[in-house]
């Protein structure tokens, strides 16, 4: 389905790898998210150091880098999930559509609603498939009627490819689905409130290869429509996965974002020795 857009990696000297479609031209105006000199501390631990990074709408940005280098910390600064971390302190600026997300005018719960979050381990609520997806729109007052709610649930399940599989089992407990289906259900739940940004922290980290393929196809599909304005940020340890689904890739090491660029270019010609060594598998 995506082969038309994929660049054969052989052309980029990475035999056997496939790349996602390239970025579309970025629109004029501010990027979806822009971090300027972001630092974060957990007590004495300096977890993010002077991170500058832009994230564009309508495409996927992958964060790669060894464990403990600050990827999750940075992701959670974007949706202000780090606000209440004990001993946590952030400096620097993060702009969303040009506006400072840490300004006093911003109500953190309202800000968080602009984001969807998908964790490594599928974590559906212990309720039915329908209830899992209906819950968000309901508590946010988006569903006007039962019919409207049913339509929202169907739309979210269709976007994650689950509708045909589950339309006759909407009353089945979400926790009884396969691992891959559970993760797609969690993505449907995240999408049900129509977030502007989807944050995914190693979403395939606990899935088998077949389920992983399904999730990757889904990630590609979510921004395939040129009219899509969804920004996806994906943390992954799987370099092939970053190549397959992400238009842009950022490489983190020891709290710093060392290098970012179009994924194919970054893989073909990393600018730093650290990134080259990481891509070559010299350290994990
Ligand atoms: P990554 O997602 O790249 O693996 P993290 O952002 O989770 O990295 O962590 C960055 C650094 O901050 C690591 O050294 C980690 O041990 C530390 N860290 C993460 N969360 C906390 C916390 N709640 N309290 C103290 N240190 C933390
Ligand atoms: Mg992490």
């Amino acid at each position: 389905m995506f082969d038309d857009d994929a660049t054969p990696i052989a052309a980029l000297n990475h035999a056997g790898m496939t790349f996602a479609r390239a970025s579309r031209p970025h629109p004029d105006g501010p990027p979806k998210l822009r971090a300027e000199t972001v630092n974060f501390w957990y007590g004495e631990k300096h977890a993010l150091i002077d991170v500058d990074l832009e994230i564009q709408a309508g495409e996927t940005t992958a964060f790669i880098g060894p464990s403990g280098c600050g990827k999750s910390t940075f992701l959670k600064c974007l949706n202000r999930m780090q606000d209440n971390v004990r001993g946590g302190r952030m400096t620097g600026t993060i702009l969303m559509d040009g506006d400072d997300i840490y300004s006093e005018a911003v109500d953190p719960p309202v800000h968080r609603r602009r984001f969807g979050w998908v964790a490594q381990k599928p974590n559906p609520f212990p309720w039915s498939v329908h209830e899992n997806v209906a819950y968000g729109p309901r508590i946010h007052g988006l569903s006007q009627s039962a019919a409207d709610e049913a339509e929202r649930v169907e739309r979210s399940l269709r976007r994650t490819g689950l509708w045909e599989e589950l339309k006759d089992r909407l009353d089945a407990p979400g926790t009884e689905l396969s691992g891959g289906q559970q993760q797609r259900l969690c993505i449907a739940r995240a999408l049900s409130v129509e977030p502007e940004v989807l944050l995914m922290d190693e979403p395939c980290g606990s899935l088998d290869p077949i389920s992983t393929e399904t999730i990757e196809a889904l990630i590609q599909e979510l921004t395939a429509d040129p009219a899509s304005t969804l920004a996806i940020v994906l943390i992954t340890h799987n370099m092939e996965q970053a190549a397959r689904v992400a238009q842009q890739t950022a490489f983190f090491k020891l709290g710093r974002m060392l290098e970012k660029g179009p994924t194919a270019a970054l893989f073909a010609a990393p600018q730093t020795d650290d990134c080259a060594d990481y891509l070559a598998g010299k350290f994990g």
Side-chain angles (χ1 to χ4, degrees):
M1 182 187 325
F2 304 103
D3 289 347
D4 289 351
D5 285 335
T7 310
I9 188 80
L12 298 142
N13 223 2
H14 284 84
M17 286 178 78
T18 314
F19 281 109
R21 68 166 171 84
S23 285
R24 300 187 179 92
H26 294 146
D28 294 336
K32 191 72 207 172
L33 289 156
R34 179 185 164 92
E36 297 170 351
T37 331
V38 168
N39 285 264
F40 193 92
W41 290 262
Y42 297 99
E44 296 292 300
K45 168 78 190 174
H46 198 173
L48 288 176
I49 307 167
D50 294 341
V51 174
D52 289 318
L53 183 60
E54 289 190 354
I55 288 157
Q56 299 288 345
E59 64 181 29
T60 298
T61 301
F63 291 176
I64 62 170
S67 283
C69 63
K71 304 180 298 295
S72 297
T73 300
F74 183 72
L75 207 65
K76 289 182 276 187
C77 287
L78 297 177
N79 68 346
R80 298 195 56 170
M81 254 164 74
Q82 291 287 71
D83 280 18
N84 304 316
V85 172
R86 269 185 68 165
R89 185 166 70 91
M90 192 196 113
T91 62
T93 307
I94 299 177
L95 306 173
M96 187 165 188
D97 295 331
D99 297 323
D100 182 355
I101 68 164
Y102 283 88
S103 111
E104 297 218 333
V106 174
D107 183 19
V110 173
H111 175 71
R112 273 178 217 122
R113 239 174 265 166
R114 303 175 73 181
F115 293 77
W117 179 269
V118 179
Q120 173 171 346
K121 203 170 169 304
N123 56 356
F125 299 132
W127 310 332
S128 70
V129 169
H130 175 93
E131 286 299 314
N132 264 276
V133 186
Y135 178 74
R138 202 180 296 154
I139 59 161
H140 292 150
L142 299 174
S143 297
Q144 305 306 324
S145 63
D148 182 39
E149 178 173 293
E151 198 182 298
R152 281 175 184 278
V153 169
E154 177 175 341
R155 200 183 319 142
S156 294
L157 291 175
R158 280 194 189 281
R159 279 182 90 183
T160 53
L162 279 175
W163 179 251
E164 291 305 325
E165 285 166 50
L166 297 181
K167 65 183 176 193
D168 299 323
R169 294 163 59 201
L170 296 178
D171 291 333
T175 46
E176 284 182 9
L177 305 176
S178 72
Q181 283 178 326
Q182 286 191 27
Q183 194 61 307
R184 280 189 286 154
L185 181 64
C186 292
I187 297 171
R189 180 178 66 187
L191 293 173
S192 67
V193 291
E194 292 160 26
E196 297 161 56
V197 182
L198 185 61
L199 303 175
M200 309 179 96
D201 195 346
E202 301 186 42
C204 302
S206 67
L207 299 181
D208 61 80
I210 303 281
S211 304
T212 296
E213 232 175 82
T214 314
I215 301 289
E216 288 183 8
L218 168 56
I219 294 171
Q220 291 171 311
E221 185 89 329
L222 287 174
T223 63
D225 182 344
S228 167
T229 56
L230 182 69
I232 301 177
V233 190
L234 166 76
I235 296 180
T236 180
H237 278 114
N238 180 334
M239 248 79 73
E240 285 82 5
Q241 176 167 94
R244 279 191 292 265
V245 309
Q247 281 66 49
Q248 303 283 327
T249 295
F251 170 70
F252 285 74
K253 190 183 177 200
L254 293 174
R256 294 180 194 274
M257 200 287 294
L258 290 183
E259 175 163 0
K260 187 211 165 203
T263 303
L266 183 132
F267 275 67
Q271 302 296 301
T272 62
D273 289 346
D274 280 329
C275 186
D277 288 349
Y278 184 72
L279 292 175
K282 291 192 186 159
F283 63 91

